[in-house]
Amino acid sequence: MLSPLGLPSGPAAPAPRLAPTAPPDPVRIMPLGDSITGSPGCWRALLWNRLQGAAGHTGIDFVGTLPPQGCGTAHDGDNEGHGGELVTNVASQGLLPARLAATRPDIVVMHFGTNDVWSNIAPDRILAAYDTLLAQMRQSNPDMRVLVAQLIPMNPATCAACGRRVVDLNARIPAWAAGASTDRSPVVVVDQWTGFDTATDTYDGVHPGASGDEKIAARWFPALAAQLENTPGDPGDPGDPTLTCTASFRSVSVWQGGYQAEVTVRNTSAAPVRGWTVTLRPADGARVTQVWNGALKPAADGTATVADAGWNGALAPDASTAFGLIAATTAGPAAPAATADCAATPAS
């Protein structure tokens, strides 16, 4: 018997079965450094659980050729923190490429150079080693994202000069990062030095204790979360979140004819931002003459526009950064003041 359309009747053919959608590959994150990173480096456990829990970043994989080293907390403990290593030796001996090939990271979280400082190696040589390692990272992955630390303070009993040497190296890292960063492979500086106290946050003047691990993880978290976040939709889509930021001005010191101040920029939106611009209007005719950790564009009417320096532009929700400034003024002894407005750039 034929159907009305002239086709044989019979059971309907089963619908084709769709292949299951494969989950996206996890983002591979390499913690890179020396014993502060790896022996046991318990800040990694705190960071891992904060990313997994509060931030909901479950699609991540900490990678390295070294296994977990304890800490008493469940976490992904793979790492590349080799106790006693100098970054200058890793660069000169070509040790990193094989480690990269074995682990294929997308992001490197690097706190490296403490042993070089202890060995009185000049900042120029340490930064040259950073150059070498960064080139090797980009050869492994042209889209490599790198978070580089300004090192935690040092005050070992056997090295009275180490504290000053860390300060000297850290002062050079932001400019190095700004020159090395690209849109495709950003280099982001994370300040691990400020607020870290060797007397209470280390057990020997060098290696972090429990409170030091907490501080290190807290500093890494917003910068790493900003790299992991994805803004939904294309720029300008109606579903994109509204991005907002604030800028807070405070006076640091005052002298006859001028003052120093600091402006704190905070991401007050629910999504990460890629950059920010602050419009600053100093009171009493003051003129901003110098800025650090930002890019200054002064106007004839005294308004100063300060954009991020590149390395400090990416901010996770509620994360903050700061830039400093010098202003010249002819006003009397009144306390310095300014109004500050902030505009945010969407994360890409």
Side-chain angles (χ1 to χ4, degrees), residues 98-347:
R99 299 171 183 176
L100 293 168
T103 57
R104 300 177 291 104
D106 304 297
I107 302 174
V108 171
V109 174
M110 184 172 84
H111 184 289
F112 215 170
T114 298
N115 291 307
D116 303 79
V117 168
W118 205 328
S119 301
N120 199 19
I121 294 175
D124 282 345
R125 287 184 57 196
I126 297 173
L127 295 177
Y130 283 11
D131 282 330
T132 298
L133 266 55
L134 180 60
Q136 293 166 346
M137 293 174 196
R138 287 172 172 166
Q139 185 173 12
S140 167
N141 179 354
D143 298 308
M144 187 74 77
R145 289 163 282 170
V146 183
L147 307 184
V148 59
Q150 289 175 292
L151 304 182
I152 63 173
M154 291 177 64
N155 188 26
T158 56
C159 182
C162 279
R164 180 71 248 177
R165 294 175 195 162
V166 172
V167 172
D168 292 343
L169 173 62
N170 282 345
R172 300 276 300 278
I173 289 175
W176 171 82
S181 187
T182 67
D183 288 342
R184 184 172 183 180
S185 174
V187 179
V188 178
V189 178
V190 177
D191 180 5
Q192 292 286 0
W193 190 89
T194 301
F196 196 99
D197 186 345
T198 56
T200 58
D201 297 328
T202 74
Y203 58 83
D204 59 358
V206 180
H207 298 89
S211 63
D213 285 325
E214 290 279 0
K215 288 183 177 181
I216 293 172
R219 289 299 179 92
W220 283 129
F221 173 75
L224 184 52
Q227 295 298 320
L228 294 170
E229 293 282 357
N230 288 312
T231 303
D234 295 325
D237 281 355
D240 284 353
T242 300
L243 298 178
T244 58
C245 57
T246 60
S248 305
F249 175 94
R250 75 175 183 92
S251 172
V252 175
S253 60
V254 184
W255 55 87
Q256 185 65 36
Y259 61 81
Q260 177 182 340
E262 181 181 76
V263 176
T264 299
V265 178
R266 182 175 296 278
N267 178 11
T268 54
S269 50
V273 302
R274 177 169 56 86
W276 46 262
T277 302
V278 172
T279 303
L280 197 66
R281 300 175 181 85
D284 301 319
R287 298 296 181 106
V288 177
T289 59
Q290 180 183 349
V291 163
W292 55 95
N293 295 338
L296 172 64
K297 184 179 180 181
D301 64 357
T303 300
T305 301
V306 181
D308 65 82
W311 58 266
N312 60 352
L315 295 176
D318 201 38
S320 64
T321 188
F323 65 86
L325 64 92
I326 300 293
T329 182
T330 57
T339 60
D341 299 315
C342 185
T345 305

